[in-house]
Amino acid sequence: MRSVRALAATAALSLLAFSTIAFAGQPKQGGILRMYHRDSPGNASIHEGATYSLNVPFMPVFNNLVIYKQDEAQNRMDNIIPELAESWAWVNDNKTLTFKLRQGVKWHDGKPFTSADVKCTFDMLMGKAQQKFRQNPRKTWYEQVSDISTNGDFEVSFNLKRPQPSLLALLASGYTPVYPCHVSPGDMRTHPIGTGPFKFVEFKANESIKLTRNPDYWREGRPYLDGIEFTIIPNRSTAILAFVAGKFDMAFPTEVSIPLLKDVKSQAPNAVCEIAPTNVATNIIVNSTAAPFDNADIRRAMALALDRKAFISIMFEGQGDVGGTMLPPPNGLWGMPKEMLETIPGYGPDVKANRDAAKKLMEKAGYGPDKHLAVKVSTRNIPVYRDPAVILIDQLKSIYIDGELDVVETANWFPKVARKDYMIGLNLTGNAVDDPDQSFYENYSCGSERNYTNYCNKEIEKLFDEQSQETNVEKRKKLVWDIDKKLQEDVARPIIFHSRMGSCWQPYVKGVTIMTNSSYNGYRYEDLWLDK
Amino acid sequence: MFAYLVRRLFLMLVTLFGISVVIFFLLRIVPGNIVDILFAAAGYVDPADKANLEKELGIDQPLIVQYWHWISGFLRGDFGYSYVSEKPALQEILPRIPITARLAGLALLFSASIGIPLGVISAVKQGTRLDYALRVVSLSGLSLPSFWLGLLILTAAVAMFGQIPIFNPNPKTWLEAFATYAVPAAAVGFRSAALTMRITRSSMLEVLRQDYIRTARAKGASDAAVNYHHALKNAILPVITVIGIEAAFLIGGLIVTETVFNIPGVARFLVEAIRWRDYPIVQNLVMFIAVVVVFANFTVDMLYAVFDPRIRYTD
């Protein structure tokens, strides 16, 4: 009898334990997610900005046609899923991308979503609509799109000038929401209307951003949260302390530096923290139109002098990646393999040998121990720019280059760069999508507005187009590696390192996925829930 | 007294006009404008888009025209629109004023209520251990930057109580509401209290050596009557001056304190507006601060006249 009781008790306990586990894993409805925001975005219109300070709070307001799966860390072509589209198909020799649209979707103001909204959005992005964005930083993404056509209310086609498989990747980015036709770009800057899981409530500049659950969201049972509240705290110390004190459920994503992460873990041991690459590359822009960097030998010497591992160890305690233009593997999809990377001058592991070669090039150009080259290293007056610039100056000393730091206020940085009023500059380049089309055309294509150095190589340009049209991924990858290698050898914009940053949240916040090859695409937050 | 008042009022108006000119042109001397910053944030510059935006915001017009638009609007009560939020400037500024006013008021109250009594005690107990201790405290108040003190308070609060006394827009209890302002007010008021204490002490020491104090003591007046009725009343004038100046300087201190304690007041808002070159906000806000400072000085001048009849008769 005793054994029967014991067995029953064991069974009951097991059942209880199992149900507790199951219960803990079951998403719960309700609760407001409290997060701090690192700064006050200029406005609320994702299409008019180029910072993830906009994507984090406003991506939950919108939907795209397609989106990267929000619960997978790596953005890949094979994890793009339909959102406002129900399906898509490439037709007409891969020159037309047709989407069947979801029916019954409503904008937050109650108006129905149709194909006209999609056409409006992309016509505006291409600069073809009557209404204009005040700023349109990603116009170049749609250069291969000749027009958008609709077939009824629920079918829309992107007609391309030539095949561009990566268009789908660009459309899946957090930077590509569909806007309503009936709301002006001006209103979208102050009171965005979307179809997304959360409705915009208010945005008080320098204070807070509030979103509330969209009860009419087309995806049944989502979102789990009742709302999201962002408190704007520009002071990083205050923000981290507030997170440690439990005032916030989540720290601003990819904003906790590696040294700060240690503080967080020591003061709040239960906090869940992850370190991930941000796909932001720290690089050098070189003014090759004026002396002394019009001399290719000096440019090459500078590239040879870089000790990339030293940068990473000083700034990120070893948590960073050495790579070319594209984010290196395993997190990056298109980065060169290590063996190939190390064949590029300056990337080899023997720093001393690299610098000896650099010294020879400097001596060839007429410089040496008794005759140093004086240069100004310009950069923005922001720590993430300034700190590596100081390290760069120190490293250049080893090859007879005496650098002087020239810090420039943000307002004057781009006018200065556009005027070519610099010798070398320390710059950061963020990639919203881990795809060569976004990176190559934006940063290295002849005439691109974001090609700050005006690097222009017609041969490479042809290769850009070749890889862009290639539908075989493996073939495209090889082409991309060759292009990336050539860009580094040309010292087009020497990449120093790819940074990694930390993200932290309280243990009861569930369903968080930090993306590992872009910090712009993972903030829909409809699957996020609070286990409280 | 009337002539004195009129003269001070006239001076005040001239000062405000001068300030408006300085604010306007200084802002334009600073390199870059809102359009540069917007494009810098977007990482590209399209000359056509840039020109359109400059035209839309009216910053393509000659400076004198821009000044006239602003100052005439200011006098009519039309403060324009924020370039950044695209909301009326007044709508952006007004809700923040009470927050900063409460903080500044509390900081000044802290400064006066702590600084004056401690200054008197320190003077009366000159040369004692208490005097030395108070002087050390006042010296530390002058030496510690308020942002550092603020961060120290926050760190200590988190480490000791697991709570952080940063701004809470919706306090649930009286204690929370009080903490929202009291802790940052103490952080910013500490320096001001230290200064007030030192001025009170030195002023009191000077007065306590006067003949009439000796006479009052000889007449048998109690220590309290001598210190507070005879000495403090005459020693308070320089202290009032310092508190008046501190009221003006407090705005500078509040910028840092509002940032550290994340208080959405005008001071922090001003810094952000300067960063964005949001001219309508900066111009109107600085003008507002100038009006407050000029009025504070005017009030101090009037208080002088009230406390010291010689000023009314001679000035």
Side-chain angles (χ1 to χ4, degrees):
Chain A
M1 188 64 188
R2 197 179 287 166
S3 63
V4 171
R5 273 187 195 153
L7 206 65
T10 310
L13 277 173
S14 305
L15 194 68
L16 186 69
F18 177 76
S19 62
T20 310
I21 290 164
F23 187 66
Q26 200 69 29
K28 292 175 187 167
Q29 286 278 352
I32 304 277
L33 179 79
R34 302 159 305 155
M35 191 192 291
Y36 72 77
H37 194 301
R38 63 177 187 165
D39 63 6
S40 192
N43 60 64
S45 178
I46 289 178
H47 282 308
E48 298 198 35
T51 162
Y52 86 121
S53 288
L54 263 173
N55 296 34
V56 176
F58 297 114
M59 205 176 141
V61 175
F62 295 99
N63 287 123
N64 293 9
L65 285 171
V66 291
I67 191 170
Y68 287 109
K69 269 187 92 175
Q70 295 290 290
D71 57 356
E72 284 199 32
Q74 193 179 41
N75 294 171
R76 295 185 314 272
M77 274 290 192
D78 62 12
N79 67 13
I80 293 175
I81 53 167
E83 210 176 23
L84 284 176
E86 274 182 333
S87 63
W88 68 84
W90 285 99
V91 289
N92 185 23
D93 288 336
N94 290 330
K95 279 167 67 178
T96 301
L97 177 59
T98 299
F99 293 96
K100 296 261 184 244
L101 302 181
R102 196 174 292 281
Q103 300 191 25
V105 176
K106 281 186 180 162
W107 294 101
H108 293 159
D109 58 5
K111 296 210 165 62
F113 158 77
T114 68
S115 57
D117 296 306
V118 181
K119 182 170 168 55
C120 262
T121 304
F122 290 94
D123 278 350
M124 269 202 288
L125 285 167
M126 292 188 290
K128 289 181 173 175
Q130 271 198 326
Q131 297 201 94
K132 302 267 181 222
F133 289 123
R134 242 172 32 167
Q135 289 181 287
N136 190 0
R138 285 172 294 281
K139 195 176 168 184
T140 52
W141 283 18
Y142 309 101
E143 253 169 19
Q144 296 310 321
V145 181
S146 57
D147 65 80
I148 311 282
S149 56
T150 57
N151 178 18
D153 277 352
F154 299 104
E155 188 177 304
V156 65
S157 295
F158 287 65
N159 303 306
L160 309 186
K161 295 169 191 163
R162 61 152 170 84
Q164 188 193 15
S166 68
L167 179 66
L168 200 65
L170 301 175
L171 295 179
S173 163
Y175 267 146
T176 324
V178 177
Y179 272 17
C181 235
H182 60 277
V183 183
S184 72
D187 287 341
M188 290 299 281
R189 287 195 292 273
T190 54
H191 195 290
I193 301 282
T195 54
F198 294 92
K199 285 181 175 185
F200 174 84
V201 177
E202 67 170 3
F203 171 21
K204 288 187 183 169
N206 302 305
E207 212 171 311
S208 64
I209 299 166
K210 286 182 183 158
L211 309 178
T212 188
R213 184 174 193 271
N214 174 10
D216 303 321
Y217 191 46
W218 52 268
R219 196 174 161 202
E220 215 164 299
R222 298 291 197 285
Y224 295 122
L225 298 168
D226 288 338
I228 309 177
E229 285 183 10
F230 297 89
T231 302
I232 296 164
I233 307 186
N235 187 305
R236 203 185 259 187
S237 308
T238 307
I240 294 287
L241 278 171
F243 172 75
V244 166
K247 211 166 177 70
F248 296 108
D249 305 316
M250 214 173 153
F252 196 71
T254 66
E255 185 60 13
V256 186
S257 66
I258 308 296
L260 270 177
L261 202 77
K262 281 185 178 171
D263 285 353
V264 173
K265 286 303 286 178
S266 70
Q267 291 176 60
N270 291 332
V272 182
C273 292
E274 272 184 20
I275 297 171
T278 55
N279 206 347
V280 174
T282 299
N283 53 74
I284 304 170
I285 50 172
V286 187
N287 184 357
S288 55
T289 59
F293 290 100
D294 55 346
N295 183 335
D297 282 339
I298 296 182
R299 293 203 298 272
R300 281 192 203 108
M302 183 186 66
L304 279 165
L306 298 175
D307 180 355
R308 293 176 169 83
K309 287 221 163 116
F311 276 93
I312 293 169
S313 104
I314 295 167
M315 293 191 61
F316 302 100
E317 300 182 2
Q319 300 268 7
D321 299 290
V322 176
T325 298
M326 302 307 298
L327 183 72
N331 295 298
L333 300 172
W334 303 96
M336 281 177 273
K338 194 167 176 257
E339 312 80 63
M340 187 175 184
L341 195 68
E342 286 184 352
T343 62
I344 301 170
Y347 279 89
D350 190 345
V351 175
K352 190 180 174 304
N354 292 339
R355 287 187 177 163
D356 286 343
K359 279 181 188 169
K360 281 188 185 134
L361 286 170
M362 288 299 288
E363 281 158 12
K364 191 178 149 199
Y367 298 95
D370 303 324
K371 191 189 173 195
H372 285 205
L373 169 64
V375 299
K376 273 196 174 179
V377 179
S378 304
T379 198
R380 285 168 78 174
N381 196 10
I382 304 174
V384 286
Y385 284 71
R386 223 170 37 219
D387 296 350
V390 172
I391 302 170
L392 175 66
I393 288 171
D394 180 60
Q395 295 195 359
L396 291 178
K397 270 185 199 154
S398 63
I399 59 158
Y400 320 128
I401 297 179
D402 292 337
E404 183 194 336
L405 187 65
D406 172 30
V407 284
V408 183
E409 288 306 315
T410 293
N412 308 321
W413 173 245
F414 284 100
K416 187 181 173 83
V417 170
R419 284 197 309 273
K420 289 269 182 292
D421 178 20
Y422 68 99
M423 295 166 93
I424 53 172
L426 197 295
N427 183 57
L428 263 68
T429 304
N431 293 302
V433 181
D434 185 17
D435 188 277
D437 273 16
Q438 188 253 290
S439 179
F440 290 163
Y441 286 112
E442 217 167 271
N443 303 313
Y444 300 96
S445 165
C446 306
S448 161
E449 279 153 355
R450 296 189 76 168
N451 179 0
Y452 308 131
T453 58
N454 289 352
Y455 170 82
C456 183
N457 184 329
K458 293 289 178 194
E459 289 303 309
I460 287 219
E461 198 94 348
K462 278 183 201 156
L463 292 173
F464 288 170
D465 291 343
E466 197 182 325
Q467 66 77 30
S468 174
Q469 296 178 67
E470 181 57 64
T471 48
N472 181 310
V473 175
E474 285 311 310
K475 272 190 193 168
R476 187 178 178 213
K477 210 176 248 185
K478 293 220 165 64
L479 277 169
V480 169
W481 292 349
D482 289 340
I483 294 169
D484 202 351
K485 186 167 187 270
K486 180 82 179 124
L487 288 172
Q488 302 316 311
E489 285 168 350
D490 275 4
V491 197
R493 191 190 281 205
I495 304 294
I496 305 177
F497 60 84
H498 293 262
S499 64
R500 288 186 190 192
M501 292 293 274
S503 305
C504 294
W505 54 92
Q506 306 292 358
Y508 52 80
V509 182
K510 306 290 181 187
V512 182
T513 303
I514 300 297
M515 294 190 169
T516 55
N517 56 343
S518 173
S519 41
Y520 298 84
N521 305 331
Y523 311 111
R524 195 67 87 218
Y525 291 146
E526 62 188 48
D527 299 320
L528 213 139
W529 56 283
L530 303 177
D531 191 13
K532 274 186 176 176
Chain B
M1 181 71 183
F2 181 71
Y4 177 76
L5 185 77
V6 170
R7 205 176 309 132
R8 284 286 178 272
L9 270 174
F10 176 73
L11 269 176
M12 200 171 84
L13 291 176
V14 172
T15 310
L16 286 175
F17 170 71
I19 289 171
S20 76
V21 173
V22 171
I23 293 167
F24 182 87
F25 287 98
L26 265 186
L27 259 181
R28 266 69 182 180
I29 288 169
V30 177
N33 59 30
I34 173 77
V35 180
D36 290 322
I37 291 173
L38 283 174
F39 280 98
Y44 84 110
V45 182
D46 181 312
D49 285 356
K50 195 177 166 187
N52 282 340
L53 195 47
E54 281 177 344
K55 193 176 175 192
E56 186 188 319
L57 300 176
I59 51 178
D60 60 332
Q61 295 181 324
L63 286 185
I64 199 75
V65 176
Q66 288 183 49
Y67 176 77
W68 173 247
H69 279 161
W70 169 53
I71 205 68
S72 57
F74 185 84
L75 293 172
R76 286 197 313 271
D78 172 9
F79 298 98
Y81 280 75
S82 161
Y83 290 161
V84 179
S85 69
E86 300 177 56
K87 289 179 190 161
L90 200 63
Q91 191 184 316
E92 289 281 32
I93 295 168
L94 272 184
R96 290 172 163 92
I97 290 175
I99 295 172
T100 298
R102 264 177 236 143
L103 184 59
L106 213 58
L108 274 180
L109 189 71
F110 181 86
S111 161
S113 59
I114 303 282
I116 296 174
L118 290 186
V120 171
I121 292 168
S122 187
V124 171
K125 303 281 181 191
Q126 191 197 5
T128 63
R129 282 184 186 175
L130 182 61
D131 176 34
Y132 285 119
L134 289 173
R135 283 161 70 187
V136 167
V137 170
S138 75
L139 204 63
S140 65
L142 290 174
S143 317
L144 296 178
S146 52
F147 79 90
W148 187 82
L149 186 63
L151 277 177
L152 204 68
I153 291 171
L154 291 185
T155 310
V158 172
M160 291 160 72
F161 309 111
Q163 296 285 327
I164 185 162
I166 58 172
F167 186 76
N168 179 358
N170 306 306
K172 288 190 184 85
T173 62
W174 178 87
L175 196 67
E176 272 182 22
F178 181 71
T180 288
Y181 290 101
V183 178
V188 76
F190 185 42
R191 195 201 74 88
S192 183
L195 185 67
T196 306
M197 189 201 130
R198 289 182 80 82
I199 299 293
T200 308
R201 182 180 180 276
S202 60
S203 185
M204 275 290 285
L205 284 176
E206 201 181 318
V207 171
L208 285 171
R209 290 190 192 108
Q210 301 283 325
D211 289 345
Y212 72 89
I213 296 291
R214 202 177 306 120
T215 308
R217 287 193 200 284
K219 280 169 71 181
S222 67
D223 277 354
V226 169
N227 293 337
Y228 294 100
H229 186 68
H230 296 287
L232 184 59
K233 200 174 172 187
N234 287 300
I236 204 77
L237 275 183
V239 179
I240 290 172
T241 312
V242 166
I243 290 176
I245 295 168
E246 276 298 293
F249 273 100
L250 206 58
I251 296 294
L254 287 184
I255 288 169
V256 178
T257 307
E258 285 187 356
T259 304
V260 171
F261 287 89
N262 207 48
I263 297 167
V266 280
R268 196 180 112 201
F269 188 56
L270 177 63
V271 174
E272 277 298 303
I274 292 170
R275 190 167 73 85
W276 283 95
R277 312 285 194 274
D278 194 349
Y279 296 152
I281 296 288
V282 179
Q283 284 163 184
N284 292 311
L285 205 46
V286 176
M287 204 58 202
F288 164 75
I289 293 166
V291 170
V292 170
V293 171
V294 168
F295 263 103
N297 280 332
F298 176 75
T299 312
V300 169
D301 285 350
M302 291 301 110
L303 280 175
Y304 259 72
V306 170
F307 277 91
D308 190 347
R310 288 171 298 178
I311 291 170
R312 292 177 258 187
Y313 300 135
T314 56
D315 197 356

